[in-house]
Amino acid sequence: MKWMMAGALALVGACATGAPAVIEDAAAESRPIRIASNDVALAGELALPADVAPVVGVVLLAGSGPASRDMLRPSAERLAARGVAAIYYDKRGVGDSDGDWAAASLADLARDARAAASALSDATGVPEDRIGYWGHSQGVWVALKAIDLGARPAFVLALSGGGLGPRAIETRLYRLALEHAGASDAELRAGLEVVDTYFAYLDSKASLAEFQSARDAISGFAWADALRFPLPSEDGRRHWAWVTTFDPGPIAAASEAPTLVVLGGDDRNL
């Protein structure tokens, strides 16, 4: 964690004229903030240096699922203790935030990130062109989608993912789960065919009945429980279509934001 923070701070400092020197164990403080993002209000916190006026800021973005601000607090506080203003928040429908993360598209989450950057700027006076994104896992896709929608962050910190699209990543995770469960080569192919049907369902190219039929066909295998498929409501399915189609590559290639990518070499998911 220490070397990762050092790299992050080096990037932050290089991307903001007049950025403060790295300060070890300086005083920091936190206070709650409400973030207005289109139709929802998000509950968040500001982590701020107590004794210096920040000239650079960062929006911390959590990974997939019902992520709360709690998992981001340690990183935000470490950044604040080194002179960086940080904002982090409960995802839609989590904690004290309005809305429903399961009914949110990637664009919705990206607009939340942009709203957080504006809220951080308003609260601290740090210009938005000196505010970057810190994304973990799905949070990197959120940051890239925000760039696709017009955001121009000062930098991007990409932790554990973001270079490949969600379909490629999730297919690999399902393959690993099947291999770990002892599926043979033929069984592996059968399982991955169900995975393909799942993505076709999310993209409205297969019906729920077709997906359920494919899943029922493998229910007798010992490894079947290794395949767990989160399902949106029928009304919410259109918000999940991006999982099958989003390609972060062209956005990342066109982005002019300095980027630090951190991957775990021993991560079994890689």
Side-chain angles (χ1 to χ4, degrees), residues 58-218:
V58 62
V59 178
L60 283 81
L61 303 169
S64 60
S68 75
R69 74 188 97 160
D70 293 340
M71 63 185 63
L72 298 172
R73 182 174 288 112
S75 294
E77 291 177 345
R78 288 171 71 93
L79 286 164
R82 288 153 178 81
V84 180
I87 189 170
Y88 54 109
Y89 52 92
D90 295 329
K91 191 178 283 190
R92 290 175 175 228
V94 179
D96 295 322
S97 288
D98 299 339
D100 179 3
W101 68 269
S105 66
L106 185 62
D108 291 330
L109 300 179
R111 284 187 280 267
D112 293 346
R114 296 191 69 182
S118 295
L120 177 60
S121 180
D122 291 343
T124 63
V126 176
E128 286 198 44
D129 61 5
R130 292 185 181 175
I131 295 174
Y133 294 129
W134 169 298
H136 173 259
S137 190
Q138 186 192 83
V140 185
W141 292 327
V142 174
L144 290 172
K145 185 61 179 180
I147 292 172
D148 189 43
L149 295 177
R152 295 295 179 264
F155 54 86
V156 175
L157 302 171
L159 309 180
S160 298
L164 295 176
R167 179 166 184 167
I169 294 295
E170 292 191 19
T171 297
R172 177 164 176 75
L173 294 177
Y174 283 123
R175 174 184 287 274
L176 287 170
L178 288 168
E179 291 174 349
H180 183 72
S184 67
D185 289 345
E187 291 168 341
L188 183 64
R189 289 192 293 271
L192 291 178
E193 286 179 2
V194 179
V195 172
D196 286 340
T197 305
Y198 170 66
F199 287 119
Y201 164 69
L202 293 184
D203 201 24
S204 298
K205 294 179 179 177
S207 67
L208 180 59
E210 289 172 315
F211 166 66
Q212 290 174 331
S213 176
R215 186 175 57 180
D216 290 344
I218 64 167

Side-chain angles (χ1 to χ4, degrees), residues 15-42:
C15 294
T17 302
V22 174
I23 303 171
E24 292 290 344
D25 300 323
E29 58 187 22
S30 297
R31 64 172 186 257
I33 188 171
R34 296 291 287 181
I35 303 164
S37 178
N38 293 321
D39 58 333
V40 300
L42 305 173

